[in-house]
Amino acid sequence: MRVLPLLFVLALTGCQSAYYAAAEQVGYHKREILVDRVEDAQESQQEAQEQFSSALEQMKTLINFDGGDLETAYDKVKGEYEDSADAAADVSSRINAVADVAEAMFDEWEDELAQYQSASLRRDSESQLRDTRRRYDAMLRAMRQAEDKMEPVLKRLKDNELYLKHNLNARAIGAVGKEFGVLEQEVERVIAEMNRAIAESDKFIQTLNP
């Protein structure tokens, strides 16, 4: 089997250690994989921001409902919640993929320090490892904090969707509207945290590609 098709199969099956080994056979090293996955995580966070904003806008439209088909309006709210849940799951998956390759890269780097014959080169590599690890930890912490902020948004969107499902009338819309301000604040917080995580990601990528 050729290496590129093998990479595709291993990526689908989740066999990461075998995937990294096969990737290195074609010159695609863990550092490059890490950069690609960080960029993928950035993209998923940007898409999640757009989706949460869209869900917020749809909820605002429902609250200001002024005639028409309530069932259709509810279906849109339900669809926005489902799309938001999918977007959040994708963000978590991308962050986990970053963490997986990063740990593999750092473990390999640590193990290979013992192979140096030059003490000065080994010390320099150890220093670079510590610095890269420190910057990575800051980035991952920012990513995880942004990830945590998604949960309150999803729970509130789900609560609204469930309440409207069983009480689809003007009174229900009014009740949901009273909590709209809290939802708006939670969406603003998650967007701010994601922007911070994206900025930390940019800094980390610069350390890998000076």
Side-chain angles (χ1 to χ4, degrees), residues 21 26 29 49 65 71 81 88 117 128-130 149 154 165 178 186 191 203:
V26 292
H29 299 285
Q49 288 183 47
F65 188 78
E71 195 71 39
Y81 162 72
Q117 299 300 309
Q128 291 180 39
L129 171 57
R130 285 194 300 270
K149 289 292 188 299
L154 291 176
K165 178 181 180 180
K178 290 178 181 179
E186 288 173 344
I191 288 175
K203 292 178 185 176

Side-chain angles (χ1 to χ4, degrees), residues 134 136-146 193 196-197:
R134 177 179 58 80
Y136 164 76
D137 287 343
M139 178 194 70
L140 187 65
R141 187 163 52 249
M143 284 184 172
R144 292 301 190 192
Q145 287 172 350
E193 287 292 341
R196 190 170 73 84

